[in-house]
Every structure is written in structure tokens, then in C-alpha cells.
Amino acid sequence: LFCGSGALGFEALSRGAAHTTFVDASRQAIDAVKHNAGLLSAEAIELHCSKIPDEHLHLSQSHFDIVFLDPPFLQGLIPQAMTWLQQASLVDAETLIYFEVEKRGLQNLESDKIEFYRLKKTKALAYGLLKLIDD
């Protein structure tokens, strides 16, 4: 989600991912990913120009093993994206969720439903892996 150039998704494909779904609100970003997919001869991809959360967005995948969340900073989009992913049943306690967020936005991720599986911080940002906690 928030795929931008698609670098994380293309890296996943190069490391053996069977399928990658790219979603971004920017038509320009989706067009760039489509162009890059052609240059890289990337197959097994799905592209969606959509703002997250979007209850009308229907993905061909019914579940994801890994999700990459790298939204624009300072907009509080990760909690919204997490809620959408859960409500759409696209993730579960086995799903790894990679995130990048401005350091001060890290507090917005803290919840009794989320486990920080891996967490790193720099001066300006935080990144790592999240897992959902089974109820």
C-alpha cells in the first residue's frame, strides 16, 4: 500500500514472492510502477489506483503474507490502513507488516492488537515489522 515507485514490491518479487499487489492514490505512481514492471519483465502483479482506506477496492488476493506500508509522512495513514486491512480480512496474526513512519507517529501505532515484531529508529523515522495479536 502507498507503493510509490514500487521498489519494495519489486524487491519482494526478486526474492521469490509469488504475487505482488501495488496500491497508490497517485495515477502517476501507478503508471510508473506499470512502466517499471515492463522494464523488469515482472509478472504476477496487480495494480490499483486507489486511496486507502477504500471499502470499494477489491483485490484478487484474499490474504497477504507480507504487507508493506510506507505512506506519506505526517498524515496518520498507517492506523487507517491497518484497520482497513483487518476489516477486509486481508491480514491475520501470521502476516508480517513492514512499516515506515515518522518517529513521532510511532505512538499512533501502539495498540493492544499490535505486536512490534522488529523495531528500529533513526533520528527522524521508525521502521520495522508488525504482527497482529490474535483475539
Side-chain angles (χ1 to χ4, degrees):
L1 304 180
F2 315 102
C3 70
S5 69
L8 292 173
F10 289 125
E11 181 68 19
L13 285 170
S14 78
R15 292 178 181 255
H19 178 89
T20 303
T21 301
F22 297 90
V23 181
D24 201 289
S26 164
R27 171 51 59 192
Q28 185 177 6
I30 293 299
D31 289 344
V33 170
K34 186 175 183 178
H35 175 76
N36 291 336
L39 292 175
L40 297 169
S41 300
E43 298 179 9
I45 68 168
E46 182 177 345
L47 303 169
H48 294 277
C49 186
S50 183
K51 187 176 180 182
I52 299 298
D54 182 352
E55 71 250 14
H56 302 295
L57 176 60
H58 299 287
L59 307 175
S60 67
Q61 294 294 110
S62 59
H63 176 268
F64 290 97
D65 296 321
I66 301 171
V67 174
F68 299 103
L69 296 177
D70 186 11
F73 284 177
L74 304 173
Q75 296 182 29
L77 295 172
I78 289 181
Q80 293 174 40
M82 293 284 294
T83 299
W84 177 77
L85 287 164
Q86 289 174 283
Q87 289 175 345
S89 299
L90 294 168
V91 295
D92 62 23
E94 298 301 313
T95 304
L96 288 173
I97 302 167
Y98 174 83
F99 72 95
E100 289 185 15
V101 66
E102 68 283 357
K103 196 170 179 181
R104 69 179 187 206
L106 188 60
Q107 66 192 15
N108 296 332
L109 300 182
E110 295 172 357
S111 161
D112 58 353
K113 297 185 185 275
I114 293 173
E115 170 190 359
F116 288 98
Y117 187 69
R118 297 277 191 273
L119 178 61
K120 300 284 183 178
K121 298 175 188 175
T122 69
K123 197 173 196 179
L125 64 97
Y127 60 96
L129 295 169
L130 300 173
K131 288 185 102 174
L132 301 174
I133 297 172
D134 266 337
D135 288 335

